[in-house]
Every structure is written in structure tokens, then in C-alpha cells.
Amino acid sequence: MKKVSYWAVICILGCLFACSPKDENVLVDLSGEWNVQLDPNDLGLKEKWFGKELSHTIQLPGTTDEAGLGEPEEYEDPYNALIRPHYYVGKAWYKREIEIPKNWSNKHFALFLERCHWITQVWVNNQYVGSENSLSTAQQYDLTPFLNPGKHTLTICVDNEYPFSLGMFASSVSEHTQSNWNGIIGRIELQVKDPVYMDDMRVYPDIKNKQAKVTCKVYNKTGGAVEGEIELSAELKENGIRAGSQTLSFKVDEGVSTIEGIVYMGDDVQLWDEFSPVLYSLKAELSAGKYKDVEATSFGMRELGVENTTVAINGKRTYMRGNLECCIFPETGYPPMTVDGWMNVLKTMKSYGLNHMRTHSWCPPKAAFEAADILGMYIQAEAPRANVYNDTVRDKFIMDELLRINKAYGNNPSFMFMTSGNELSQQGPDEGINAAMIAKAKEDDNRHLYSTTSGGHGMDHKVSRSKVDEYRVGGRRGFQTPGTAEDHSEYYSNYRFASITHEVGQHAVYPNIQEIPKYTGVLKPVNLEAIKRDLEEKRMLDLASQFTSATAKFSAILYKEEIEVLMRSEGNAGFQLLSLQDYPGQGTAHVGLFDAFWANKGGITKEEFRKFCSPVTPLLRMEKRTYSSNENFVAIAEILNYGPTSIKQAKTVWKIHNEAGEILKQGNFGLNNIPQGERVSLGDINIDLSFVETAAKLIVSVEIEGTEYLNDWNIWCYPEAGAKVWPKNLVIRKTLDTEAIEALENGENVLLLPGKENLSNSLEGNPKTVFWSPTWFWTKPRGGNTTMGIMCDPKHPVFENFPTEYHSNWQWWSLQEMSSSIILDTLRINVNPIIRVIDHYGRNHKLATLFECKVGGGKLMVCSIDIETKLAERPEAGQLRNSIIEYMISDKFNPTQQLDLMELKPLFK
């Protein structure tokens, strides 16, 4: 179908007049300048604004926010979400003129409005056409009864006030993500066809028989019966090589009829999946006497199923590695509407080893599916609601949306999964209503896999939904220890569903205030600005970028284990991360390794991420991360193979090397056959660690030699000598008591080891980081003991015999767990701790677990980490203790900061 702009139509009007009615169909592009007027008092209908001049102009596609129409958004809590400088909720009226050429007197006219927010009403001249309300697909109007040759005024009223609630956090409309904008952001077209035309063409691949069933609806608006033919032809989209064709005859009385046919794809038919995203084009050419029509679509030869508890694509078991997309696009406030716009997002996901995207409580536009088709990415679309119970009016809207989504995007092979929303109620009558919706959508289109809800009560795998759901989004997640022996096999293997784990990760990263200048569009980061002001007031602004860097590194470490614990779990079908990129709302949930603009925070590279997030992933089971040199390192190695084929005679090897890359130990598991769709045990690693003479961080790797498939894990080994006794030339006390004070006044070295009971103001130690957001859930109002890991200078001499990075890693787990973070806010000077605990950004306390200073003529070290108990089980604690002692009895112990005794006393009991 030819596409021309409206003004082009006017300019070449004479040429169009010369065209015969049976020439090619036309799409008239109505994008460009429109007149607009906001209607905050809802007077437009009463005052018949469809017949008056409007006050402003606007570029469509676009929004009132982009046009600068609206008032600054009012807010109470700056941490809650981004805000709109041009906030408007209500009706906005859009108007322009169109002209219909004389030879279009016997045409079918359809107005196509892609991505309206939300309810539209349309008038042609002063005649009311109707109203539409889809959020997920284009809104379309039949203008045929209203248009004849000549000039016409087209008026569209868009109302973004909620007619009913879809849930506060539904990504389709939420101010926490894309915002509740008003406008039209996609294609705006007048589609011109003959009165006999096709619509809703669907392609159903049949891989076994190497054919595709094609159905389409033929509309006849001539007033009498018509006969004709539809020529179907399929070809490879990349090179145009013909695959197959079929001619269908039809006869349609007045109205609509469904036509069906088969196209044989040939013996060498190529399939579509993440490894080989081969696309075909199908063209349908209708001829019914003088009436012509052409429809075209892309499709892939792809079939879905479930094998045991795993998703099967074209008969191959596939492990789903996904990421949530909550419609977070802060520059525009709405999603990209072009293929190129989506390529960047999806390419980034795929480069990090992911193979699918879940759009949380919304459905992406056609461009997203088309980009995913090209790249070989899978999409889980959802009806636009979240965290709500059932409601009669809303339920009808959701049911209609599910069917509209099927129609609009069903041919895209990337459209793999669909649910009716996020974390929906599954109690009482709601359960049956939601299940019935999915059953009806499934009956309408069986090319996707369906589930009633993503997460919520569905995480418990309720049996009463079993006849409807084809897979589940929910299940168990997380880990409790720093080892890699945990899994959730007992949970997942007890169910017959393919269970994709819901919203995995949510490990917060300290917000990057250097991101503030990026917000040049319709949303402003008042949350980041509030954090910046707080840091300035507390004299920590210079540390902000270090906080972001350290917590990004730590978050990446936690994401690795979150993913691997699921890969080790028998019966688990995959995961969906929340998320690779930040979520700007819900109290500033900066849980991403990328910011909201898809810029990497520096926590991990794509190469490192793919080590544990790939179709083929080596795994390692070990009980712990820290060892003494008198122990053996014992582990079990495995390989997860969800690549395109089985791997035959794979040479699998393991290595242990130091930070300099020097291989210290190595071995192999022989030659292994690794079937496609299986996790295979390779064998044991059992190494005497007595070769370790000094404290060291070691890297254990497992790989398939000669391939890119390599994964590695950090462990720490410490000499077996054990914890040192306290030297006599150190004064060891629990608090700043009389003996400690006298020792300092006498110029001695003092080590304080306070527990929680000895501290006036402290937080309990936390080995992890903040979950989701520190100002949300149970930590509201800002409080709790949630912190975000440690930060230190690895070159400080106290760490000379205690290997560490500048951020938290697994050797800090028990040290942080058995510690108290001392709040230093009351100190007059900014103490620079040796071990700083990064507080969450809703509070920004100055925290430390190890700091030094001069007091009077003496030197003081304060350590609120437990380095006295369970040392046999905690070699890292004994080694830190030894390292502190060696530092304090050396000439290097010379603190540069001086503190007054009267300032220090209030810190202790």
C-alpha cells in the first residue's frame, strides 16, 4: 500500500484525479501540524469545540507534554518518581483539515491512530463518528459514511483521564514509568481502499508439514455479492527467493467472510528462533473485477509448546532468559514507535545473553515486535493492568485488549507469550474470570503460550488454573548463603508447568546523580536532585560517583548468583529480571545495571554477564567462598545446554588462577556429550589448598575448550596459621571506657571492638544491598537497617594481607552480617573510614565499620565487625583480624585525622 503525506496528496491532486478507482491503495499520512486546545474544565463537548477554532498548534505524532502544554506537576515526596513539568490530565482537542479528491467517491476510508492515550472521540465536520479506547493497539474508525470529495474538518478528542483504574503501577498508564501523557504517538493515517478489501490476515505455521495456513477476512461494502481471487505468495524476506504460492477463489455477499488457504513452504523451509531468525514475507493480492486490494505481512516458521517443565521452540527445549521492560523512556515519556528505536533496547538485551523481554502490564507497539523478529528476541506481552481485582467494566476492556493484541501482532514470530496482567488477584470469583479471559484469547489465537497472570498469587501455582495456563510466571527465587550449592529444585520439580521465575534480582544501585543532565525531555529527576541536595548538606557529594560505582559492582555480583541458583534448579524454565535497567518510580527503584537511558553504570561488561547468562552456561556447586589453606576446595561442575544443538565430544576443563592470571591448578573432565536441552554433571573438583602461602583471591573457571562458553567464580584462601592473639602493646576494649581514654591520653594504640550493645547509634549489619527501593515497601518511611554494601581503598595498608576490591564481594558476607554500622553523623569533621558502609539514598547516614584517628597523643582504631567469634568457621574474620593487628603494630599505623575525645564519647555507651 502506497503511503503519502496529506500535503503530498494536495500537491499532486491533479495526478490523483487522473487515477482510476482500481489503482493501488493509498495511505494518507496525517502527521504534521495540528491545532490543539486543552479542555481542563470539560467544556469542549458542551460548547461544540469540533466546530470552533482551537487555540494552539502541536506536532503529531506527539504529546501535550512535548508541546509544553500543561502546568508543573505537584508532588509531596520527591523520591516517589520523576515528575512532568507540563502535567495535564483531561481532554485535549486536536483538529486539522483534509481534502478528498473527486475520484475517491467510491472508496473505503479508515482513520488509523496508533498509540493514543487514552480514549478518543472523532468528528468529521460536525458529525460524530464514534469512540475507541485501546491502549495496546491502533484505534481505527470507519470514516466512509462521512467523507466525500471535497474539504473536511477532522477533529479528535483525546482524554487521558482514567475511566477506571488499571492499577497504580500499570506500566501502560502509570506516572511511575512512562507517565500518563495525552496525545497520539504513532502512525496517523487515512487508509484508502476499494469497497472490497481484506483485513485481519493471519499466518499459522505448520512446521511438520512444511506449510502455513493463511486466513483473512474479506469485506464487501459494494451493496451486492462479489466474486474474485486472492493470490497468496510467500518469499524469504532477506533475499526475495520465492517459497510458495496459492490462489484462492471467493464469493462474498454484502458484509464480511473469512477466507482460508494453505501455502506450501518447500522442502528447504527455514525456521525462526533466537539462533536463526529467518523471516518470510507473505503477500495477498485480491482481485474482484474492478476492485483490488493488497495486504502483506512478515512471519516466521515457528511453533511453541511445553516439554515437561520447559518451553519448546520448534521442538527444541529453550531456557528463557528475560528482562522486564516497564515502558521506561524518560526523554519522551512514551515508548519508541520505530524499529530503529527498539533495536538499541533489544540489541542491548541480547548482547547480555538474554533471549526475551517481558513488557510488564503493557503491550509494546508493532515496531518492537518487528525489531524482535529481526534480532531473534522473544516477547511476553501483557494486558495493560497490574495488581487489581476484577471489575465488570475493566474486565470487558481487558478482554477486548487481549483479542486486539492477537489481531495486531499475532503474525510476529517474536510474540511468544501473553498474560492478562501483572500480579492479579487469584482469589474467589476473580480466579474464574481471569482464567476465562485467557481461555477465550487462547481460542482466538493458539500461536502463543498463555498464562493468567504474571506473578501475584499465581506464583503459588494454583491448581485451579491448570486447565488454562500453558506456562507460569512466578515461583521461588533468591539465595541465602554466599556459596553456590543452593537451588530450588524441590519447588520447581513438583509442578508440571513451565515456570519462568518472576521479577528476579531487584538489587538496588546507588543512584547516579551525574545522570541528572540527561533529563532534557518531558520528565524531570526531582528524585535525583533531592538525593544530590541531601549529599551536599551532609558533605558527601564528592563520594556520590564512588557510591554508584561500588554498588553497581556489588549488584552485578548478586545478579550473577540470582541467575545461577535458578539455572541449577531442576524444573525451572527460566527467569525474568527486574531489571537490567532502572525503574524510576516506586521510591526511586534504581535496580538496574543500566540507567533509564540504557547507559551501562560500569558494574559489569556484556562479556562478563554472558559468562553466566548464555544458551550454554557452565555452572559450579560449592558450599562456600572462603577457605583456609589446610582445607580442600571441593566443587561439582555442570553444563547447561540450551543452545541450538547437542554438543558432542566436548572437552571440558577447569582452572584455578590468581588475580594476575597465573594458572595455579588445572584439570579436565574428559570428553562429554552434552545433549541439547539438558543440564549435565561434568564431575568433581577436589584440590588441596596447601599450595596457598599468602592470603589470595582465586578464580575458578569451567569451560568448554575451543568455545566461548566459560564461567568463573571467586574464592578466597587464607593461610592456616589462624587468628593472632592480641599483642600486649595494643589496648583492646569494647567501648571508650576509662581504660581506653587513659591509654589514648598516654599516647598508646587502642583498638575498640564495640558490639551493638556498646554503640549509641548504629545499624545492624547487612550482607546484601537494598531490595527494590529503600523508600518503598516495609522500609517506608525512610528507615530500617537496609544498607548497600561497603566501600574501601584496597591500597590502604590495613588490607595488605586481606585481598579486597573497593566494593563488597563474597568474602565480606559474614563480616557484614556480623557487624554494626556506626553512625558518624554527629562528628564535626568528615571522617574518612577505612571501611565505609554505604547507606541507602533515602537516608544517607555516614556509616563505618572500621575507622582510625588520632585522639590526644594516642592512636585509635575502631572496628565494629565481629573478629572474635566463630573464627574457625570464618577464616575471613581471622584474616581481617590479623591484618588489622599487623597494621596497628607497624610504623604504617599513623592516622591523619584528629578527633576530639568529647566528640567521640557520644558514639559509645
Side-chain angles (χ1 to χ4, degrees), residues 585-605:
Q586 290 193 14
T588 310
H590 280 212
V591 296
L593 299 173
F594 288 76
D595 67 20
F597 299 88
W598 284 97
N600 194 316
K601 298 178 183 178
I604 193 169
T605 66

Side-chain angles (χ1 to χ4, degrees), residues 274-525:
E274 64 183 286
F275 307 106
S276 180
V278 177
L279 291 172
Y280 286 89
S281 295
L282 179 73
K283 187 176 183 180
E285 297 178 274
L286 178 149
S287 179
K290 64 181 180 179
Y291 304 120
K292 311 292 181 184
D293 190 23
V294 177
E295 285 289 322
T297 186
S298 296
F299 71 99
M301 294 296 288
R302 184 271 292 150
E303 290 181 350
L304 295 178
V306 173
E307 184 179 324
N308 296 324
T309 58
T310 305
V311 174
I313 301 174
N314 302 331
K316 293 182 179 179
R317 289 158 57 88
T318 302
Y319 191 77
M320 304 310 301
R321 308 176 306 280
N323 185 63
L324 267 67
E325 171 48 70
C326 298
C327 204
I328 297 164
F329 300 96
E331 183 64 24
T332 58
Y334 56 77
M337 298 302 294
T338 65
V339 172
D340 286 346
W342 277 99
M343 287 295 255
N344 177 56
V345 173
L346 294 171
K347 278 183 177 179
T348 301
M349 290 185 191
K350 189 156 189 175
S351 72
Y352 277 71
L354 300 172
N355 63 2
H356 81 283
M357 173 179 72
R358 173 198 164 199
T359 52
H360 178 296
S361 57
W362 72 294
C363 179
K366 186 71 171 179
F369 291 97
E370 291 177 345
D373 291 348
I374 294 167
L375 293 173
M377 284 287 286
Y378 312 133
I379 290 179
Q380 175 181 307
E382 292 183 2
R385 61 174 174 166
N387 308 83
V388 291
Y389 291 88
N390 287 96
D391 168 87
T392 303
V393 176
R394 180 174 57 227
D395 290 346
K396 181 182 185 310
F397 167 76
I398 293 298
M399 185 69 256
D400 290 342
E401 285 286 84
L402 291 171
L403 298 179
R404 288 188 286 240
I405 290 169
N406 275 345
K407 177 182 175 182
Y409 314 122
N411 290 336
N412 295 93
S414 57
F415 183 8
M416 296 264 289
F417 308 105
M418 185 155 69
T419 77
S420 64
N422 177 72
E423 296 181 9
L424 302 174
S425 167
Q426 290 299 309
Q427 298 174 348
D430 293 348
E431 195 165 26
I433 294 170
N434 291 332
M437 288 185 190
I438 286 298
K440 188 172 180 180
K442 183 177 173 181
E443 181 182 4
D444 174 66
D445 191 338
N446 63 3
R447 291 173 291 179
H448 333 299
L449 297 180
Y450 293 87
S451 190
T452 309
T453 175
S454 296
H457 292 284
M459 287 167 33
D460 297 327
H461 300 267
K462 292 180 76 67
V463 175
S464 54
R465 292 166 44 202
S466 62
K467 294 181 180 179
V468 178
D469 288 356
E470 296 174 292
Y471 75 108
R472 291 281 167 85
V473 179
R476 189 166 293 170
R477 65 192 182 204
F479 56 91
Q480 303 301 319
T481 68
T484 65
E486 290 181 69
D487 64 44
H488 301 304
S489 296
E490 183 177 355
Y491 179 88
Y492 286 106
S493 59
N494 285 334
Y495 299 95
R496 67 177 181 81
F497 298 100
S499 298
I500 302 173
T501 308
H502 180 61
E503 297 184 356
V504 169
Q506 306 188 48
H507 302 296
V509 175
Y510 197 95
N512 181 13
I513 62 173
Q514 294 179 357
E515 185 184 320
I516 291 173
K518 294 183 179 182
Y519 288 85
T520 59
V522 301
L523 297 171
K524 298 303 176 187

Side-chain angles (χ1 to χ4, degrees), residues 612-669:
F612 56 87
C613 185
S614 282
V616 180
T617 303
L619 300 169
L620 195 69
R621 295 178 186 263
M622 55 184 172
E623 292 292 335
K624 58 181 186 174
R625 302 271 189 165
T626 57
Y627 299 83
S628 292
S629 60
N630 61 353
E631 296 182 87
N632 279 24
F633 170 74
V634 178
I636 300 171
E638 300 174 340
I639 290 277
L640 189 80
N641 178 21
Y642 285 97
T645 61
S646 297
I647 305 173
K648 297 181 179 180
Q649 296 294 289
K651 185 178 181 181
T652 50
V653 301
W654 61 266
K655 297 174 185 176
I656 298 177
H657 60 86
N658 58 23
E659 291 188 88
E662 178 187 1
I663 297 175
L664 307 176
K665 297 288 180 179
Q666 61 182 320
N668 68 78
F669 302 104

